[in-house]
């Protein structure tokens, strides 16, 4: 590795998957304002919408993650198209 291009401030950080509440600790340089206590130790907290513990590719389960209603909008438009084509 080249000298002087990598940050020196790596520290343990807690990452929390908000879809299933799972927390894991990894080293990172990310700046956060929130903290969490785990086993009496305070860690900086990063909230994730999806991680390997909830992603369908890794879990093998089909799960729709929709935060803005986009899936519902698509399904309603698609349903209208299918019903028009059948007539």
């Amino acid at each position: 590795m080249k000298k002087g291009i990598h940050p020196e401030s790596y520290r343990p950080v807690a990452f929390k998957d908000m879809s299933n509440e799972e927390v894991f600790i990894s080293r990172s340089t990310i700046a956060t304002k929130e903290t969490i206590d785990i086993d009496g130790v305070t860690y900086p907290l990063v909230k994730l919408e999806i991680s390997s513990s909830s992603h369908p590719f890794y879990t093998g389960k089909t799960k729709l993650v929709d935060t803005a209603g986009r899936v519902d909008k698509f399904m309603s438009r698609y349903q209208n198209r299918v019903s028009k084509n059948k007539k």
Side-chain angles (χ1 to χ4, degrees):
M1 292 192 306
K2 289 185 179 181
K3 301 280 186 211
I5 64 170
H6 297 286
E8 298 293 329
S9 60
Y10 284 102
R11 67 194 189 290
V13 176
F15 292 88
K16 183 175 184 179
D17 187 336
M18 300 308 290
S19 64
N20 64 2
E21 303 295 319
E22 185 169 327
V23 178
F24 60 93
I25 299 171
S26 182
R27 292 173 40 92
S28 179
T29 60
I30 193 166
T32 65
K33 294 181 181 178
E34 296 182 65
T35 60
I36 189 171
D37 288 330
I38 300 174
D39 297 331
V41 180
T42 302
Y43 295 101
L45 175 65
V46 177
K47 294 181 179 178
L48 306 171
E49 286 191 34
I50 195 162
S51 69
S52 61
S53 66
S54 63
H55 194 281
F57 180 80
Y58 297 104
T59 62
K61 298 177 185 175
T62 302
K63 178 180 177 183
L64 294 175
V65 177
D66 184 28
T67 58
R70 289 181 234 123
V71 172
D72 293 332
K73 288 178 188 176
F74 173 79
M75 294 305 282
S76 66
R77 277 189 272 143
Y78 183 72
Q79 187 65 26
N80 291 339
R81 231 178 248 170
V82 169
S83 62
K84 286 180 184 177
N85 288 340
K86 287 185 178 179
K87 289 181 182 180

